[in-house]
Amino acid sequence: AKAPVRVAVTGAAGQIGYALLFRIVSGEMLGRDQPVILQLLELPLERAQRALKGVMMELEDCAFPLLAGVIGTSDPKVAFRDADYALLVGARPRGRGMERSDLLQENAKIFIEQGRALDEVASRDIRVIVVGNPANTNALIAMKSASGLPRENFTSMMRLDHNRALSMLAGRAGKPVAAVERMVVWGNHSPTMYPDIRYATIEGERASDLVDAAWYKETYIPSVAKRGAAIIEARGTSSAASAANAAIAHMRDWALGTSGRWVTMGVVSDGSYGIPEGLVYGVPCTCEAGSWQRVEGLEIDAFSRQMMDRTLEELLEERDGISPLLS
Ligand code: NAX
């Protein structure tokens, strides 16, 4: 039998956490033969710790064969100790009357602390996904606060956007979602993201031949980008199960490989595609067990350049907003 691995999850008592933990320990993330020890972080607030206890009770009540242990804590250094994987879900939500810049600052403090704690106590091979918003910039902050860990080991979640883009395209073309390949969502996890179907194929046919160009630009791009808001409108609360599903898929693919399939991940830029080096930006990747590779050499046409620069501008603004805190 395999030795257990340690999986840290922050914001574990929140709504994404509730949709996530049970799937991690059922083996959907790391394989049905991989035992896991969960290391759960929540705020020190009474309410949060009590809710966390309840979730831990439910985990126990599932009697999962793969669950080799659970700890709950409010101390990042306990949650991240020797962790092999970290899913950073907990973040400060935007409160009433809170400015975007305040939100950025509040989250920067959290991700500086968590980056430092990861640097200090986590496995040197830890693989991190940041889900908590603003996810790309939070990932950048954690990465920069953990100078002893490889930068490639910090990623942000773009997979929900990627999956939304797949389903909407398949629906329009009247084809099964599993038939869509080579989807790309460039940039920030925000309404500025750019779902790019120029390389996508469906059952071997070019997707751009199966849907009309006006629909693509006028309906599809904004619908993918605003899907999060549409879910809130319909459900009264933000995406949880689909977000957890995307986090599972991101980590599973990173850990186990994609067999050549393209997936979108927010990863540290190497300067290619005109994305400044060091920024965390959504790009197409393939994964082999434990590592991701950027899909290289895609042509960027004028429309794509404009769309990619627009989402880049936003990420640069976010970075400039928090950079005083990092130095
Ligand atoms: P909830 O408010 O239900 O849960 C968040 C939990 O995190 C709470 O229990 C809170 O106590 C905890 N928390 C807050 N700060 C913490 C800290 N410093 N350390 C540990 N725990 C902390 O939110 P939920 O719906 O679960 O969403 C979590 C985050 O995911 C939000 O930031 C949200 O914006 C973000 N999302 C990101 C998505 C993406 O595609 N990247 C999509 C879904 C989601 O909106």
Side-chain angles (χ1 to χ4, degrees):
K2 287 186 174 175
V5 297
R6 294 177 183 273
V7 179
V9 179
T10 73
Q15 56 152 2
I16 295 176
Y18 195 72
L20 184 62
L21 299 177
F22 301 87
R23 293 186 62 188
I24 295 174
V25 284
S26 75
E28 287 180 73
M29 188 169 93
L30 298 171
R32 308 228 176 244
D33 58 347
Q34 178 59 66
V36 298
I37 298 170
L38 286 179
Q39 307 192 153
L40 308 178
L41 184 70
E42 258 298 343
L43 290 174
L45 304 172
E46 223 284 298
R47 188 166 36 85
Q49 288 296 315
R50 202 150 29 87
L52 181 59
K53 287 250 157 48
V55 175
M56 291 168 68
M57 287 159 68
E58 285 203 70
L59 282 165
E60 194 181 317
D61 294 350
C62 293
F64 284 115
L66 290 176
L67 186 56
V70 194
I71 53 176
T73 178
S74 59
D75 180 351
K77 286 186 196 158
V78 173
F80 298 149
R81 181 159 307 278
D82 299 324
D84 301 291
Y85 298 91
L87 295 90
L88 307 186
V89 178
R92 177 75 192 268
R94 188 161 179 171
R96 223 175 268 279
M98 196 173 176
E99 294 294 329
R100 203 183 142 73
S101 58
D102 299 334
L103 183 73
L104 208 58
Q105 305 290 318
E106 289 306 313
N107 278 295
K109 288 181 208 153
I110 294 172
F111 286 86
I112 289 171
E113 187 196 9
Q114 294 189 356
R116 286 183 182 154
L118 286 163
D119 201 13
E120 203 176 316
V121 302
S123 157
R124 298 301 85 185
D125 289 326
I126 186 159
R127 292 183 171 78
V128 181
I129 179 176
V130 176
V131 175
N133 279 318
N136 296 49
T137 296
N138 289 342
L140 174 82
I141 293 166
M143 177 185 88
K144 290 208 177 220
S145 305
S147 53
L149 296 171
R151 297 197 305 172
E152 292 68 31
N153 294 17
F154 289 83
T155 63
S156 70
M157 187 163 96
M158 295 292 294
R159 186 62 172 267
L160 181 54
D161 310 305
H162 181 96
N163 286 347
R164 287 167 171 167
L166 288 177
S167 282
M168 283 188 205
L169 181 61
R172 177 73 178 190
K175 303 279 189 187
V177 70
V180 185
E181 290 181 65
R182 297 180 165 214
M183 177 59 72
V184 184
V185 183
W186 301 100
N188 199 5
H189 167 67
S190 90
T192 65
M193 74 182 80
Y194 167 42
D196 179 0
I197 65 164
R198 292 175 304 137
Y199 295 93
T201 60
I202 308 184
E203 292 170 344
E205 283 183 83
R206 287 165 55 116
S208 52
D209 293 341
L210 297 172
V211 297
D212 62 282
W215 174 80
Y216 169 64
K217 287 193 180 167
E218 285 150 34
T219 305
Y220 179 77
I221 294 177
S223 303
V224 173
K226 293 184 198 145
R227 183 68 162 185
I231 301 284
I232 294 175
E233 184 66 30
R235 227 169 71 82
T237 173
S238 56
S239 328
S242 55
N245 180 67
I248 295 267
H250 175 119
M251 291 308 249
R252 181 193 58 222
D253 285 345
W254 192 3
L256 305 177
T258 64
S259 310
R261 243 179 343 106
W262 293 13
V263 293
T264 303
M265 299 169 74
V267 298
V268 60
S269 177
D270 64 351
S272 58
Y273 295 124
I275 307 155
E277 201 273 334
L279 214 61
V280 176
Y281 189 103
V283 298
C285 295
T286 58
C287 302
E288 277 161 37
S291 70
W292 55 262
Q293 293 79 37
R294 181 180 296 96
V295 174
E296 313 256 17
L298 300 177
E299 199 190 304
I300 305 302
D301 62 15
F303 176 72
S304 299
R305 185 75 268 157
Q306 188 194 335
M307 296 298 282
M308 288 169 70
D309 285 349
R310 190 172 67 122
T311 187
L312 172 62
E313 283 304 315
E314 184 184 45
L315 280 169
L316 289 173
E317 269 173 38
E318 291 182 11
R319 185 192 67 185
D320 293 346
I322 52 85
S323 60
L325 294 173
L326 287 177
S327 41

